[in-house]
Amino acid sequence: MSVQEQTDPSEVRGRVRAMWASVAEEWGQHADEGDARVARVTERMLAGTDPRPGERVLELAAGAGGLGLAVAALVGRDGEVVVSDAVAEMVAIAARRADERGLDNVCTAMLDVEAIDEPDRSFDVVLCREGMMFALDPAAAAREIARVTRPGGRVAVSVWGPPAQNPWLGLAAAALSAELGRQVPPPGGPGPFALADAVRLRALFVDAGLEDIAIEEVTCPLRAPSFEAWWARTSTIGGPLVRVIAGLSDDVRAAVVSRLREEVRRFRTPEGVELPGLVLLLSARRPS
């Protein structure tokens, strides 16, 4: 039985939003570092959608808003970028970062990717970077993305690939699952690897009515100066794992760290550690 069948969907959404609110401060502190890490993903998303001067662009599930901020220069003063998230704390971080950069063509909004409070055909480009996998109903999210995209408009969505190809987070999830005797995050619900199947990802947007759909794999490794630095990052901004880690007893935490230290050993480099990451990047177009 899936998480959706066991629990009221509104309760699940509330928990997911509370989880992201609880890590927002740390996300804000690491925002520039995070943007640098996924710079190649950002580059490919913008190349695929080609935002142009004067266009309106929407970023969904934006977190700290780095992707939307990168679009601002492309649409120019006559364009507009709406950077949005369903979590107020994340929206506040994105707004602050836009203000610090003096980006007058960027505004922020609280929007739910599953029920976007914007009119039909509102945006020339719709973007969602590493956020859609946390939607409780990704099919509804795909339909909403298609709905607010103008005819001929472009869409780019990136999600994390399978856990085995993303040991930067997959190893921590596996270690927690092994030590706790239950799958972390729980199966059947939103989570970092919920849309790791490229066939399923494509089908969501085919069913939503988009065309010219393409999916490419983009490598996105996580580099850290040491195991300790990687673990500190993972245990404070690692999304759905953070609360689980915070609730561990000292003995279980020590067992998890010991297990991970051994697992991460094979990813050592002269500069520290480098853990592979793989993103699935979907691009599509709404029919004219």
Side-chain angles (χ1 to χ4, degrees):
M1 183 179 293
S2 71
V3 170
Q4 291 95 321
E5 294 171 326
Q6 297 179 55
T7 311
D8 183 339
S10 63
E11 293 181 10
V12 178
R13 289 188 181 91
R15 288 203 299 270
V16 171
R17 291 175 186 176
M19 176 270 294
W20 286 115
S22 70
V23 299
E25 182 178 353
E26 291 288 341
W27 266 64
Q29 293 175 5
H30 293 273
D32 291 340
E33 174 189 342
D35 288 341
R37 182 196 171 197
V38 295
R40 186 160 178 258
V41 178
T42 296
E43 177 186 337
R44 297 304 304 151
M45 294 181 80
L46 298 185
T49 54
D50 187 25
R52 301 158 193 164
E55 290 191 323
R56 295 190 78 221
V57 178
L58 172 64
E59 183 186 8
L60 294 161
L67 177 57
L69 302 184
V71 176
L74 301 178
V75 300
R77 296 182 64 86
D78 294 331
E80 181 184 27
V81 182
V82 179
V83 176
S84 72
D85 200 281
V87 177
E89 290 83 353
M90 291 293 191
V91 174
I93 292 168
R96 185 185 71 238
R97 297 182 79 206
D99 288 343
E100 290 170 350
R101 290 160 175 77
L103 299 176
D104 296 334
N105 60 349
V106 174
C107 65
T108 55
M110 281 191 64
L111 296 175
D112 184 341
V113 69
E114 298 177 56
I116 303 169
D117 189 17
E118 292 283 348
D120 295 355
R121 306 180 177 192
S122 298
F123 297 93
D124 300 287
V125 175
V126 179
L127 305 168
C128 186
R129 187 182 71 182
E130 283 85 69
M132 189 171 161
M133 57 272 202
F134 295 103
L136 186 60
D137 186 348
R143 291 192 298 269
E144 281 290 275
I145 289 171
R147 179 184 66 79
V148 300
T149 304
R150 289 173 177 159
R154 294 87 68 201
V155 168
V157 172
S158 66
V159 299
W160 292 108
Q165 293 175 286
N166 285 283
W168 66 275
L169 188 61
L171 287 179
L176 289 166
S177 299
E179 294 298 333
L180 295 174
R182 57 182 171 84
Q183 189 169 332
V184 178
F193 307 116
L195 294 179
D197 182 342
V199 173
R200 181 190 178 203
L201 180 64
R202 178 187 295 273
L204 291 173
F205 287 90
V206 170
D207 293 345
L210 298 187
E211 61 183 23
D212 295 341
I213 296 172
I215 296 178
E216 65 174 301
E217 296 183 346
V218 182
T219 57
C220 189
L222 188 153
R223 300 178 179 90
S226 64
F227 168 83
E228 288 76 14
W230 167 75
W231 175 243
R233 174 191 172 99
T234 300
S235 59
T236 54
I237 67 172
L241 305 188
V242 173
R243 285 191 174 183
V244 177
I245 294 169
L248 298 176
S249 68
D250 291 344
D251 288 347
V252 173
R253 179 186 290 267
V256 168
V257 171
S258 176
R259 181 188 291 266
L260 285 173
R261 191 181 298 277
E262 185 60 33
E263 290 282 354
V264 171
R265 190 181 303 276
R266 68 183 187 274
F267 298 113
R268 284 180 176 173
T269 71
E271 292 76 32
V273 296
E274 180 175 322
L275 291 98
L278 183 75
V279 165
L280 303 181
L281 172 53
L282 177 143
S283 58
R285 185 176 64 86
R286 178 167 174 170
S288 300

